Structure formats: structure tokens, C-alpha cells
PDB file of all heavy atoms in Angstrom:
ATOM      1  N   GLU A  41      90.719  94.071  98.577  1.00 97.00           N
ATOM      2  CA  GLU A  41      90.516  95.150  97.596  1.00 97.00           C
ATOM      3  C   GLU A  41      91.627  95.248  96.558  1.00 97.00           C
ATOM      4  O   GLU A  41      91.447  95.868  95.507  1.00 97.00           O
ATOM      5  CB  GLU A  41      90.430  96.500  98.330  1.00 97.00           C
ATOM      6  CG  GLU A  41      89.203  96.675  99.194  1.00 97.00           C
ATOM      7  CD  GLU A  41      89.275  97.925 100.046  1.00 97.00           C
ATOM      8  OE1 GLU A  41      90.371  98.270 100.558  1.00 97.00           O
ATOM      9  OE2 GLU A  41      88.214  98.564 100.224  1.00 97.00           O
ATOM     10  N   VAL A  42      92.797  94.647  96.841  1.00 98.00           N
ATOM     11  CA  VAL A  42      93.976  94.888  96.004  1.00 98.00           C
ATOM     12  C   VAL A  42      93.777  94.426  94.568  1.00 98.00           C
ATOM     13  O   VAL A  42      94.017  95.189  93.619  1.00 98.00           O
ATOM     14  CB  VAL A  42      95.231  94.226  96.630  1.00 98.00           C
ATOM     15  CG1 VAL A  42      96.381  94.196  95.630  1.00 98.00           C
ATOM     16  CG2 VAL A  42      95.658  94.990  97.883  1.00 98.00           C
ATOM     17  N   ILE A  43      93.355  93.195  94.354  1.00 98.00           N
ATOM     18  CA  ILE A  43      93.244  92.682  92.975  1.00 98.00           C
ATOM     19  C   ILE A  43      92.159  93.411  92.187  1.00 98.00           C
ATOM     20  O   ILE A  43      92.417  93.845  91.061  1.00 98.00           O
ATOM     21  CB  ILE A  43      93.069  91.149  92.973  1.00 98.00           C
ATOM     22  CG1 ILE A  43      94.407  90.501  93.343  1.00 98.00           C
ATOM     23  CG2 ILE A  43      92.595  90.654  91.604  1.00 98.00           C
ATOM     24  CD1 ILE A  43      94.400  89.000  93.429  1.00 98.00           C
ATOM     25  N   PRO A  44      90.944  93.602  92.736  1.00 98.00           N
ATOM     26  CA  PRO A  44      89.956  94.386  91.979  1.00 98.00           C
ATOM     27  C   PRO A  44      90.455  95.793  91.627  1.00 98.00           C
ATOM     28  O   PRO A  44      90.201  96.296  90.525  1.00 98.00           O
ATOM     29  CB  PRO A  44      88.748  94.446  92.909  1.00 98.00           C
ATOM     30  CG  PRO A  44      88.880  93.235  93.773  1.00 98.00           C
ATOM     31  CD  PRO A  44      90.353  93.024  93.960  1.00 98.00           C
ATOM     32  N   PHE A  45      91.198  96.416  92.563  1.00 98.00           N
ATOM     33  CA  PHE A  45      91.732  97.755  92.285  1.00 98.00           C
ATOM     34  C   PHE A  45      92.724  97.713  91.127  1.00 98.00           C
ATOM     35  O   PHE A  45      92.653  98.529  90.199  1.00 98.00           O
ATOM     36  CB  PHE A  45      92.402  98.331  93.537  1.00 98.00           C
ATOM     37  CG  PHE A  45      93.056  99.668  93.320  1.00 98.00           C
ATOM     38  CD1 PHE A  45      92.305 100.815  93.122  1.00 98.00           C
ATOM     39  CD2 PHE A  45      94.445  99.785  93.303  1.00 98.00           C
ATOM     40  CE1 PHE A  45      92.905 102.048  92.911  1.00 98.00           C
ATOM     41  CE2 PHE A  45      95.059 101.009  93.101  1.00 98.00           C
ATOM     42  CZ  PHE A  45      94.283 102.142  92.896  1.00 98.00           C
ATOM     43  N   ILE A  46      93.641  96.761  91.162  1.00 98.00           N
ATOM     44  CA  ILE A  46      94.629  96.658  90.081  1.00 98.00           C
ATOM     45  C   ILE A  46      93.940  96.371  88.748  1.00 98.00           C
ATOM     46  O   ILE A  46      94.293  96.957  87.720  1.00 98.00           O
ATOM     47  CB  ILE A  46      95.683  95.578  90.417  1.00 98.00           C
ATOM     48  CG1 ILE A  46      96.575  96.077  91.564  1.00 98.00           C
ATOM     49  CG2 ILE A  46      96.548  95.246  89.191  1.00 98.00           C
ATOM     50  CD1 ILE A  46      97.571  95.054  92.083  1.00 98.00           C
ATOM     51  N   GLN A  47      92.929  95.517  88.757  1.00 98.00           N
ATOM     52  CA  GLN A  47      92.209  95.227  87.509  1.00 98.00           C
ATOM     53  C   GLN A  47      91.525  96.481  86.961  1.00 98.00           C
ATOM     54  O   GLN A  47      91.409  96.656  85.749  1.00 98.00           O
ATOM     55  CB  GLN A  47      91.186  94.110  87.755  1.00 98.00           C
ATOM     56  CG  GLN A  47      91.844  92.752  87.958  1.00 98.00           C
ATOM     57  CD  GLN A  47      90.873  91.675  88.393  1.00 98.00           C
ATOM     58  OE1 GLN A  47      89.956  91.922  89.177  1.00 98.00           O
ATOM     59  NE2 GLN A  47      91.077  90.456  87.895  1.00 98.00           N
ATOM     60  N   SER A  48      91.108  97.377  87.857  1.00 98.00           N
ATOM     61  CA  SER A  48      90.419  98.595  87.424  1.00 98.00           C
ATOM     62  C   SER A  48      91.362  99.633  86.821  1.00 98.00           C
ATOM     63  O   SER A  48      90.915 100.649  86.278  1.00 98.00           O
ATOM     64  CB  SER A  48      89.674  99.220  88.604  1.00 98.00           C
ATOM     65  OG  SER A  48      90.578  99.848  89.504  1.00 98.00           O
ATOM     66  N   LEU A  49      92.689  99.384  86.895  1.00 98.00           N
ATOM     67  CA  LEU A  49      93.663 100.343  86.367  1.00 98.00           C
ATOM     68  C   LEU A  49      94.003 100.105  84.895  1.00 98.00           C
ATOM     69  O   LEU A  49      94.842 100.804  84.340  1.00 98.00           O
ATOM     70  CB  LEU A  49      94.960 100.269  87.189  1.00 98.00           C
ATOM     71  CG  LEU A  49      94.849 100.628  88.679  1.00 98.00           C
ATOM     72  CD1 LEU A  49      96.168 100.352  89.390  1.00 98.00           C
ATOM     73  CD2 LEU A  49      94.437 102.087  88.862  1.00 98.00           C
ATOM     74  N   GLU A  50      93.366  99.151  84.271  1.00 97.00           N
ATOM     75  CA  GLU A  50      93.731  98.758  82.905  1.00 97.00           C
ATOM     76  C   GLU A  50      93.722  99.928  81.924  1.00 97.00           C
ATOM     77  O   GLU A  50      94.561 100.014  81.028  1.00 97.00           O
ATOM     78  CB  GLU A  50      92.777  97.671  82.407  1.00 97.00           C
ATOM     79  CG  GLU A  50      93.137  97.150  81.027  1.00 97.00           C
ATOM     80  CD  GLU A  50      92.233  96.005  80.603  1.00 97.00           C
ATOM     81  OE1 GLU A  50      91.243  95.724  81.294  1.00 97.00           O
ATOM     82  OE2 GLU A  50      92.536  95.398  79.550  1.00 97.00           O
ATOM     83  N   LYS A  51      92.801 100.854  82.105  1.00 96.00           N
ATOM     84  CA  LYS A  51      92.641 101.952  81.138  1.00 96.00           C
ATOM     85  C   LYS A  51      93.651 103.080  81.341  1.00 96.00           C
ATOM     86  O   LYS A  51      93.691 104.021  80.553  1.00 96.00           O
ATOM     87  CB  LYS A  51      91.219 102.509  81.214  1.00 96.00           C
ATOM     88  CG  LYS A  51      90.854 103.136  82.551  1.00 96.00           C
ATOM     89  CD  LYS A  51      89.406 103.620  82.549  1.00 96.00           C
ATOM     90  CE  LYS A  51      89.005 104.284  83.860  1.00 96.00           C
ATOM     91  NZ  LYS A  51      88.891 103.361  84.978  1.00 96.00           N
ATOM     92  N   PHE A  52      94.485 103.000  82.380  1.00 98.00           N
ATOM     93  CA  PHE A  52      95.409 104.093  82.676  1.00 98.00           C
ATOM     94  C   PHE A  52      96.767 103.844  82.019  1.00 98.00           C
ATOM     95  O   PHE A  52      97.518 102.971  82.440  1.00 98.00           O
ATOM     96  CB  PHE A  52      95.584 104.248  84.195  1.00 98.00           C
ATOM     97  CG  PHE A  52      94.334 104.685  84.903  1.00 98.00           C
ATOM     98  CD1 PHE A  52      93.600 103.791  85.670  1.00 98.00           C
ATOM     99  CD2 PHE A  52      93.883 105.984  84.795  1.00 98.00           C
ATOM    100  CE1 PHE A  52      92.450 104.186  86.328  1.00 98.00           C
ATOM    101  CE2 PHE A  52      92.724 106.398  85.449  1.00 98.00           C
ATOM    102  CZ  PHE A  52      92.005 105.491  86.209  1.00 98.00           C
ATOM    103  N   SER A  53      97.092 104.658  81.030  1.00 98.00           N
ATOM    104  CA  SER A  53      98.340 104.450  80.275  1.00 98.00           C
ATOM    105  C   SER A  53      99.570 104.941  81.040  1.00 98.00           C
ATOM    106  O   SER A  53     100.690 104.595  80.700  1.00 98.00           O
ATOM    107  CB  SER A  53      98.261 105.179  78.937  1.00 98.00           C
ATOM    108  OG  SER A  53      98.160 106.578  79.148  1.00 98.00           O
ATOM    109  N   LYS A  54      99.378 105.769  82.081  1.00 98.00           N
ATOM    110  CA  LYS A  54     100.509 106.365  82.795  1.00 98.00           C
ATOM    111  C   LYS A  54     100.853 105.615  84.094  1.00 98.00           C
ATOM    112  O   LYS A  54     101.695 106.075  84.863  1.00 98.00           O
ATOM    113  CB  LYS A  54     100.191 107.837  83.133  1.00 98.00           C
ATOM    114  CG  LYS A  54      99.919 108.704  81.906  1.00 98.00           C
ATOM    115  CD  LYS A  54     101.149 108.870  81.051  1.00 98.00           C
ATOM    116  CE  LYS A  54     100.861 109.606  79.760  1.00 98.00           C
ATOM    117  NZ  LYS A  54     100.146 110.871  79.913  1.00 98.00           N
ATOM    118  N   ILE A  55     100.192 104.487  84.336  1.00 98.00           N
ATOM    119  CA  ILE A  55     100.446 103.744  85.573  1.00 98.00           C
ATOM    120  C   ILE A  55     100.933 102.338  85.241  1.00 98.00           C
ATOM    121  O   ILE A  55     100.278 101.587  84.526  1.00 98.00           O
ATOM    122  CB  ILE A  55      99.173 103.666  86.444  1.00 98.00           C
ATOM    123  CG1 ILE A  55      98.833 105.056  86.988  1.00 98.00           C
ATOM    124  CG2 ILE A  55      99.356 102.669  87.598  1.00 98.00           C
ATOM    125  CD1 ILE A  55      97.536 105.144  87.739  1.00 98.00           C
ATOM    126  N   GLN A  56     102.113 102.014  85.760  1.00 98.00           N
ATOM    127  CA  GLN A  56     102.636 100.651  85.654  1.00 98.00           C
ATOM    128  C   GLN A  56     102.778 100.109  87.077  1.00 98.00           C
ATOM    129  O   GLN A  56     103.541 100.648  87.889  1.00 98.00           O
ATOM    130  CB  GLN A  56     103.993 100.623  84.953  1.00 98.00           C
ATOM    131  CG  GLN A  56     104.514  99.199  84.772  1.00 98.00           C
ATOM    132  CD  GLN A  56     105.923  99.151  84.214  1.00 98.00           C
ATOM    133  OE1 GLN A  56     106.735 100.011  84.513  1.00 98.00           O
ATOM    134  NE2 GLN A  56     106.198  98.136  83.410  1.00 98.00           N
ATOM    135  N   VAL A  57     102.022  99.071  87.376  1.00 98.00           N
ATOM    136  CA  VAL A  57     102.069  98.485  88.720  1.00 98.00           C
ATOM    137  C   VAL A  57     103.245  97.511  88.777  1.00 98.00           C
ATOM    138  O   VAL A  57     103.155  96.376  88.308  1.00 98.00           O
ATOM    139  CB  VAL A  57     100.748  97.775  89.075  1.00 98.00           C
ATOM    140  CG1 VAL A  57     100.842  97.158  90.485  1.00 98.00           C
ATOM    141  CG2 VAL A  57      99.582  98.759  89.017  1.00 98.00           C
ATOM    142  N   VAL A  58     104.357  97.976  89.324  1.00 98.00           N
ATOM    143  CA  VAL A  58     105.570  97.142  89.380  1.00 98.00           C
ATOM    144  C   VAL A  58     105.572  96.212  90.587  1.00 98.00           C
ATOM    145  O   VAL A  58     106.335  95.247  90.633  1.00 98.00           O
ATOM    146  CB  VAL A  58     106.862  97.990  89.371  1.00 98.00           C
ATOM    147  CG1 VAL A  58     106.989  98.761  88.076  1.00 98.00           C
ATOM    148  CG2 VAL A  58     106.923  98.926  90.583  1.00 98.00           C
ATOM    149  N   GLY A  59     104.723  96.511  91.591  1.00 98.00           N
ATOM    150  CA  GLY A  59     104.725  95.663  92.773  1.00 98.00           C
ATOM    151  C   GLY A  59     103.717  96.109  93.809  1.00 98.00           C
ATOM    152  O   GLY A  59     102.893  96.993  93.569  1.00 98.00           O
ATOM    153  N   LEU A  60     103.816  95.491  94.978  1.00 98.00           N
ATOM    154  CA  LEU A  60     102.966  95.819  96.118  1.00 98.00           C
ATOM    155  C   LEU A  60     103.830  96.333  97.264  1.00 98.00           C
ATOM    156  O   LEU A  60     105.009  95.984  97.376  1.00 98.00           O
ATOM    157  CB  LEU A  60     102.194  94.590  96.598  1.00 98.00           C
ATOM    158  CG  LEU A  60     101.306  93.873  95.577  1.00 98.00           C
ATOM    159  CD1 LEU A  60     100.596  92.686  96.242  1.00 98.00           C
ATOM    160  CD2 LEU A  60     100.292  94.814  94.944  1.00 98.00           C
ATOM    161  N   MET A  61     103.245  97.156  98.109  1.00 98.00           N
ATOM    162  CA  MET A  61     103.945  97.717  99.268  1.00 98.00           C
ATOM    163  C   MET A  61     103.094  97.545 100.515  1.00 98.00           C
ATOM    164  O   MET A  61     101.863  97.632 100.434  1.00 98.00           O
ATOM    165  CB  MET A  61     104.220  99.209  99.037  1.00 98.00           C
ATOM    166  CG  MET A  61     105.051  99.877 100.143  1.00 98.00           C
ATOM    167  SD  MET A  61     104.101 100.349 101.608  1.00 98.00           S
ATOM    168  CE  MET A  61     103.973 102.109 101.378  1.00 98.00           C
ATOM    169  N   THR A  62     103.741  97.277 101.638  1.00 97.00           N
ATOM    170  CA  THR A  62     103.039  97.311 102.914  1.00 97.00           C
ATOM    171  C   THR A  62     103.990  97.727 104.021  1.00 97.00           C
ATOM    172  O   THR A  62     105.210  97.743 103.832  1.00 97.00           O
ATOM    173  CB  THR A  62     102.396  95.944 103.259  1.00 97.00           C
ATOM    174  OG1 THR A  62     101.363  96.151 104.229  1.00 97.00           O
ATOM    175  CG2 THR A  62     103.410  94.940 103.801  1.00 97.00           C
ATOM    176  N   MET A  63     103.397  98.062 105.172  1.00 95.00           N
ATOM    177  CA  MET A  63     104.152  98.358 106.390  1.00 95.00           C
ATOM    178  C   MET A  63     103.665  97.399 107.469  1.00 95.00           C
ATOM    179  O   MET A  63     102.457  97.227 107.653  1.00 95.00           O
ATOM    180  CB  MET A  63     103.917  99.809 106.834  1.00 95.00           C
ATOM    181  CG  MET A  63     104.435 100.832 105.842  1.00 95.00           C
ATOM    182  SD  MET A  63     103.930 102.509 106.274  1.00 95.00           S
ATOM    183  CE  MET A  63     104.881 102.778 107.759  1.00 95.00           C
ATOM    184  N   ALA A  64     104.599  96.786 108.165  1.00 94.00           N
ATOM    185  CA  ALA A  64     104.239  95.865 109.241  1.00 94.00           C
ATOM    186  C   ALA A  64     103.867  96.641 110.500  1.00 94.00           C
ATOM    187  O   ALA A  64     104.266  97.794 110.664  1.00 94.00           O
ATOM    188  CB  ALA A  64     105.404  94.921 109.531  1.00 94.00           C
ATOM    189  N   PRO A  65     103.115  96.015 111.397  1.00 92.00           N
ATOM    190  CA  PRO A  65     102.799  96.678 112.670  1.00 92.00           C
ATOM    191  C   PRO A  65     104.065  96.954 113.478  1.00 92.00           C
ATOM    192  O   PRO A  65     105.064  96.239 113.339  1.00 92.00           O
ATOM    193  CB  PRO A  65     101.918  95.655 113.402  1.00 92.00           C
ATOM    194  CG  PRO A  65     101.481  94.682 112.371  1.00 92.00           C
ATOM    195  CD  PRO A  65     102.530  94.679 111.302  1.00 92.00           C
ATOM    196  N   ASN A  66     104.003  97.968 114.306  1.00 89.00           N
ATOM    197  CA  ASN A  66     105.126  98.303 115.189  1.00 89.00           C
ATOM    198  C   ASN A  66     105.032  97.417 116.435  1.00 89.00           C
ATOM    199  O   ASN A  66     104.417  97.769 117.432  1.00 89.00           O
ATOM    200  CB  ASN A  66     105.063  99.786 115.560  1.00 89.00           C
ATOM    201  CG  ASN A  66     106.274 100.218 116.371  1.00 89.00           C
ATOM    202  OD1 ASN A  66     107.271  99.492 116.430  1.00 89.00           O
ATOM    203  ND2 ASN A  66     106.189 101.365 117.009  1.00 89.00           N
ATOM    204  N   THR A  67     105.611  96.223 116.326  1.00 91.00           N
ATOM    205  CA  THR A  67     105.513  95.250 117.410  1.00 91.00           C
ATOM    206  C   THR A  67     106.831  94.486 117.527  1.00 91.00           C
ATOM    207  O   THR A  67     107.588  94.399 116.560  1.00 91.00           O
ATOM    208  CB  THR A  67     104.359  94.259 117.154  1.00 91.00           C
ATOM    209  OG1 THR A  67     104.373  93.236 118.172  1.00 91.00           O
ATOM    210  CG2 THR A  67     104.486  93.571 115.798  1.00 91.00           C
ATOM    211  N   GLU A  68     107.072  93.945 118.712  1.00 91.00           N
ATOM    212  CA  GLU A  68     108.244  93.093 118.918  1.00 91.00           C
ATOM    213  C   GLU A  68     107.965  91.648 118.493  1.00 91.00           C
ATOM    214  O   GLU A  68     108.875  90.826 118.441  1.00 91.00           O
ATOM    215  CB  GLU A  68     108.650  93.107 120.402  1.00 91.00           C
ATOM    216  CG  GLU A  68     109.054  94.475 120.934  1.00 91.00           C
ATOM    217  CD  GLU A  68     110.337  94.989 120.309  1.00 91.00           C
ATOM    218  OE1 GLU A  68     111.308  94.229 120.225  1.00 91.00           O
ATOM    219  OE2 GLU A  68     110.356  96.167 119.887  1.00 91.00           O
ATOM    220  N   ASN A  69     106.688  91.349 118.224  1.00 95.00           N
ATOM    221  CA  ASN A  69     106.292  89.976 117.910  1.00 95.00           C
ATOM    222  C   ASN A  69     106.662  89.637 116.465  1.00 95.00           C
ATOM    223  O   ASN A  69     106.000  90.050 115.516  1.00 95.00           O
ATOM    224  CB  ASN A  69     104.788  89.803 118.128  1.00 95.00           C
ATOM    225  CG  ASN A  69     104.352  88.353 118.017  1.00 95.00           C
ATOM    226  OD1 ASN A  69     104.865  87.594 117.197  1.00 95.00           O
ATOM    227  ND2 ASN A  69     103.399  87.960 118.851  1.00 95.00           N
ATOM    228  N   GLU A  70     107.735  88.875 116.316  1.00 96.00           N
ATOM    229  CA  GLU A  70     108.257  88.573 114.982  1.00 96.00           C
ATOM    230  C   GLU A  70     107.264  87.795 114.135  1.00 96.00           C
ATOM    231  O   GLU A  70     107.190  87.986 112.919  1.00 96.00           O
ATOM    232  CB  GLU A  70     109.560  87.770 115.121  1.00 96.00           C
ATOM    233  CG  GLU A  70     110.246  87.520 113.798  1.00 96.00           C
ATOM    234  CD  GLU A  70     111.557  86.751 113.962  1.00 96.00           C
ATOM    235  OE1 GLU A  70     112.400  87.191 114.776  1.00 96.00           O
ATOM    236  OE2 GLU A  70     111.721  85.743 113.263  1.00 96.00           O
ATOM    237  N   GLU A  71     106.463  86.938 114.759  1.00 96.00           N
ATOM    238  CA  GLU A  71     105.515  86.126 113.981  1.00 96.00           C
ATOM    239  C   GLU A  71     104.421  86.985 113.357  1.00 96.00           C
ATOM    240  O   GLU A  71     103.969  86.714 112.240  1.00 96.00           O
ATOM    241  CB  GLU A  71     104.900  85.017 114.856  1.00 96.00           C
ATOM    242  CG  GLU A  71     105.808  83.814 115.008  1.00 96.00           C
ATOM    243  CD  GLU A  71     106.390  83.324 113.676  1.00 96.00           C
ATOM    244  OE1 GLU A  71     105.614  83.062 112.738  1.00 96.00           O
ATOM    245  OE2 GLU A  71     107.630  83.231 113.561  1.00 96.00           O
ATOM    246  N   ILE A  72     103.987  88.023 114.073  1.00 96.00           N
ATOM    247  CA  ILE A  72     102.983  88.940 113.511  1.00 96.00           C
ATOM    248  C   ILE A  72     103.570  89.666 112.299  1.00 96.00           C
ATOM    249  O   ILE A  72     102.942  89.767 111.243  1.00 96.00           O
ATOM    250  CB  ILE A  72     102.504  89.951 114.580  1.00 96.00           C
ATOM    251  CG1 ILE A  72     101.701  89.228 115.665  1.00 96.00           C
ATOM    252  CG2 ILE A  72     101.680  91.066 113.947  1.00 96.00           C
ATOM    253  CD1 ILE A  72     101.317  90.108 116.848  1.00 96.00           C
ATOM    254  N   ILE A  73     104.804  90.160 112.446  1.00 97.00           N
ATOM    255  CA  ILE A  73     105.480  90.856 111.342  1.00 97.00           C
ATOM    256  C   ILE A  73     105.649  89.919 110.155  1.00 97.00           C
ATOM    257  O   ILE A  73     105.341  90.258 109.007  1.00 97.00           O
ATOM    258  CB  ILE A  73     106.849  91.389 111.810  1.00 97.00           C
ATOM    259  CG1 ILE A  73     106.678  92.447 112.906  1.00 97.00           C
ATOM    260  CG2 ILE A  73     107.643  91.963 110.625  1.00 97.00           C
ATOM    261  CD1 ILE A  73     107.965  92.830 113.606  1.00 97.00           C
ATOM    262  N   ARG A  74     106.111  88.716 110.440  1.00 97.00           N
ATOM    263  CA  ARG A  74     106.376  87.739 109.374  1.00 97.00           C
ATOM    264  C   ARG A  74     105.097  87.404 108.601  1.00 97.00           C
ATOM    265  O   ARG A  74     105.098  87.277 107.386  1.00 97.00           O
ATOM    266  CB  ARG A  74     106.989  86.478 109.992  1.00 97.00           C
ATOM    267  CG  ARG A  74     107.604  85.534 108.973  1.00 97.00           C
ATOM    268  CD  ARG A  74     108.335  84.393 109.665  1.00 97.00           C
ATOM    269  NE  ARG A  74     109.536  84.812 110.382  1.00 97.00           N
ATOM    270  CZ  ARG A  74     110.704  85.080 109.784  1.00 97.00           C
ATOM    271  NH1 ARG A  74     110.816  84.982 108.466  1.00 97.00           N
ATOM    272  NH2 ARG A  74     111.746  85.446 110.500  1.00 97.00           N
TER     273      ARG A  74
END
């Protein structure tokens, strides 16, 4: 959904998409986090 959503923001003059954000799962498994 991310790219279609960002493309749909073109008409908004007050929004500048400087980047993406996420939160990793709360797990000890480093490979899942990575």
C-alpha cells in the first residue's frame, strides 16, 4: 500500500514525505528484525 498511498498525496501542499518509518517485532530473533 505504501507507494500507491504516497502517489495519492501529490495534491497536498502541506505534506512533504521525507522518509518511511517502521517498528520491528518485539523478538530476540535478529534475522526477523533485520
